């Protein structure tokens, strides 16, 4: 069987290129999931999970694949207008959000305009449920119940770290998450080890 043609610019076959695109820009559950990307781009749909995992690891360890993923990630970040400072600020706001920030001393909820910025950034939405008293024509609206929903900070951070490839490093090596995130966004080749500062440009 003849070998699949490789793109002279990337050194990748079309399947490998598709793998990289799925890995970076795929839908939730696909992006950052090597095994799922293998299922979608290679003929491994009926293979055992262990076989698919080995294939995914093999592909992700390839230098040409790593280089292409890094380029695609940089392109996505640039197109979206994402900057390291913006990501760090958003992550910092969510990390600082605390329930007590939106409560008065008596436990009642503060007006929206008194919420500090971290609490505003963490708010995902508000459900309003109308309350009525009585039945039929005598039914009267007596008020509303508001349910405030907040973003899952851990889930948000995990998606962000996964998008920038910060879970691809060997888990045995400790990594400073903020330094690593900035390094990945700015296109550094290596993750900064724990305690290390990101080099200024």
């Amino acid at each position: 069987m003849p070998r699949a043609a490789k793109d002279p610019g990337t050194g990748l076959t079309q399947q490998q290129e598709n793998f990289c695109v799925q890995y970076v820009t795929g839908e939730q559950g696909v992006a950052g999931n090597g095994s799922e990307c293998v299922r979608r781009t290679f003929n491994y749909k009926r293979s055992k999970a262990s076989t698919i995992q080995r294939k995914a690891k093999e592909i992700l360890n390839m230098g040409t694949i790593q280089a292409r993923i890094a380029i695609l990630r940089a392109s996505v970040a640039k197109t979206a207008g994402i900057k390291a400072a913006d990501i760090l600020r958003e992550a910092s706001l969510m990390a600082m959000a605390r329930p007590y920030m939106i409560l008065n001393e008596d436990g009642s909820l503060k007006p929206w305009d008194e919420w500090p910025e971290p609490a505003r950034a963490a708010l995902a939405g508000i459900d309003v449920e109308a309350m009525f008293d009585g039945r039929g024509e005598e039914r009267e609206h007596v008020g509303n119940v508001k349910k405030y929903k907040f973003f899952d900070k851990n889930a948000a951070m995990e998606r962000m770290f996964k998008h920038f490839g910060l879970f691809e490093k060997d888990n045995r090596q400790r990594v400073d998450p903020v330094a690593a995130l900035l390094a990945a966004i700015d296109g550094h080749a290596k993750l900064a080890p724990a305690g290390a500062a990101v080099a200024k440009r």
Side-chain angles (χ1 to χ4, degrees):
M1 180 181 293
R3 291 186 178 182
K6 293 184 177 181
D7 183 279
T10 63
L12 301 179
T13 65
Q14 186 58 55
Q15 281 185 316
Q16 290 171 335
E17 172 69 13
N18 293 343
F19 174 93
C20 293
V21 172
Q22 288 283 348
Y23 194 81
V24 174
T25 65
E27 61 194 42
Q28 185 174 3
V30 178
N33 186 330
S35 295
E36 188 58 36
C37 291
V38 165
R39 288 190 181 94
R40 296 195 175 212
T41 56
F42 294 87
N43 189 22
Y44 278 73
K45 293 182 180 180
R46 296 183 179 180
S47 300
K48 295 181 180 179
S50 58
T51 300
I52 294 176
Q53 289 173 359
R54 284 197 299 271
K55 180 64 176 179
K57 184 176 181 180
E58 174 187 326
I59 294 174
L60 289 170
N61 283 337
M62 294 172 59
T64 50
I65 293 291
Q66 293 176 7
R68 184 58 177 157
I69 287 175
I71 291 172
L72 289 172
R73 281 177 174 150
S75 176
V76 170
K78 184 177 181 180
T79 301
I82 299 174
K83 298 179 181 179
D86 297 331
I87 294 293
L88 180 59
R89 173 176 170 73
E90 190 68 18
S92 298
L93 286 172
M94 294 190 70
M96 290 187 296
R98 299 291 187 273
Y100 68 80
M101 291 181 171
I102 64 174
L103 299 177
N104 293 308
E105 292 184 0
D106 62 359
S108 60
L109 191 68
K110 292 181 179 179
W112 168 255
D113 58 2
E114 294 182 14
W115 286 24
E117 191 174 6
R120 292 175 182 238
L123 182 65
I126 304 174
D127 288 338
V128 180
E129 181 181 351
M131 302 296 292
F132 296 89
D133 186 27
R135 295 183 178 182
E137 296 181 356
E138 297 182 357
R139 187 171 180 238
E140 294 182 1
H141 178 253
V142 295
N144 297 311
V145 174
K146 295 182 179 180
K147 298 180 181 180
Y148 292 80
K149 298 185 294 184
F150 292 87
F151 289 111
D152 184 334
K153 293 193 293 185
N154 291 333
M157 292 294 289
E158 181 178 345
R159 286 194 298 270
M160 204 159 47
F161 272 52
K162 183 178 291 185
H163 175 76
F164 288 105
L166 301 184
F167 288 145
E168 295 166 17
K169 196 69 176 173
D170 188 342
N171 289 331
R172 292 173 298 179
Q173 178 179 350
R174 292 179 62 247
V175 175
D176 176 5
V178 174
L181 178 58
L182 291 175
I185 298 172
D186 289 336
H188 290 278
K190 298 181 179 180
L191 298 180
V198 177
K200 295 182 179 180
R201 295 186 173 186

